[in-house]
Amino acid sequence: MPQLSADAADAVDRYLVETLVGHDDDLDAAVAAQRVAGMPAIEVAPTGGKLLHLLARATGARRVLEVGTLGGYSTIWLARALPSTDSEARVVTIEAEPAHAAVARASIDRAGVGERVEIRVGRGADVLPTLVGAPPFDLVFIDADKESNTVYLDWAARLSRPGALVVVDNVVRSGRVADPDDDSAQVEGVRAGLAMLREDPRFDATAIQTLDAKGWDGIAVALVTGASPVEAG
Ligand code: DHB
Ligand code: MG
């Protein structure tokens, strides 16, 4: 039997990508544009991008919210999941860095889904309140500064319909989430988000760890229950 190692995990990831995900010029171009622009290589792995795409299709999502556009790689996967017959279907994606948003805009347009993607430039905590009153979201993908995960989860619950799915990226962080000696702000932010998913009646959630092209990490997947938040105090 093979033993778990970084090399073995890489080989499995390549095998799964070849077998089930395949290759795609527009997605490859989005990643290349991001690299040329000097942006960090922290977009989701191909297997993760396709998972987001399938979750969006499985939930019949016509409105998707993404917090953290980066170069638009996951955005393209999500936008391609929208029903082509629905001219109102949208991905609304929030990016704090204007330069990243510009790279994403070009890649999303090149992929042919530009009309279905609205990029809102600004910090999530500033942009999310401006979405109050918009039609509710069916799927939310949280993939931005981990320190703000509870803020993003609160807005995800407020802005989505009962039955919506919320996916949170990077909840394992090479195992650091379970390292009692790691009290960095990012890891504490991840833990606070997971604690919220457990305690807040608006969510019912699980998380899985992943070993993919981005190494050892994980995602949380939460159902928006439709319950009211418990008032503090
Ligand atoms: C980081 C952020 C991400 O969203 C990710 O997928 C991987 C790493 C980071 O900030 O280090
Ligand atoms: Mg991420």
Side-chain angles (χ1 to χ4, degrees), residues 73-194:
Y73 179 81
S74 49
T75 323
I76 293 168
W77 272 115
L78 288 164
R80 288 177 173 173
L82 300 176
S84 58
T85 51
D86 185 343
S87 63
E88 304 286 300
R90 287 290 178 279
V91 178
V92 177
T93 184
I94 301 172
E95 175 52 49
E97 289 289 337
H100 294 180
V103 171
R105 181 82 261 167
S107 292
I108 289 162
D109 289 350
R110 184 176 39 224
V113 290
E115 288 183 357
R116 324 180 118 232
V117 177
E118 293 174 24
I119 305 179
R120 305 287 175 92
V121 180
R123 309 238 11 122
D126 297 327
V127 174
L128 287 161
T130 71
L131 299 173
V132 171
F137 292 97
D138 307 299
L139 177 75
V140 182
F141 179 47
I142 297 173
D143 190 17
D145 57 306
K146 314 311 168 194
E147 296 87 335
S148 303
N149 273 2
T150 56
V151 174
Y152 301 148
L153 283 168
D154 179 56
W155 282 108
R158 291 158 75 151
L159 296 172
S160 60
R161 65 166 168 86
L165 275 188
V166 179
V167 179
V168 185
D169 198 24
N170 308 119
V171 300
V172 172
R173 308 219 57 138
S174 302
R176 291 166 59 199
V177 70
D179 176 357
D181 294 329
D182 194 324
D183 60 358
S184 65
Q186 287 190 338
V187 169
E188 292 288 13
V190 169
R191 291 189 190 117
L194 295 175

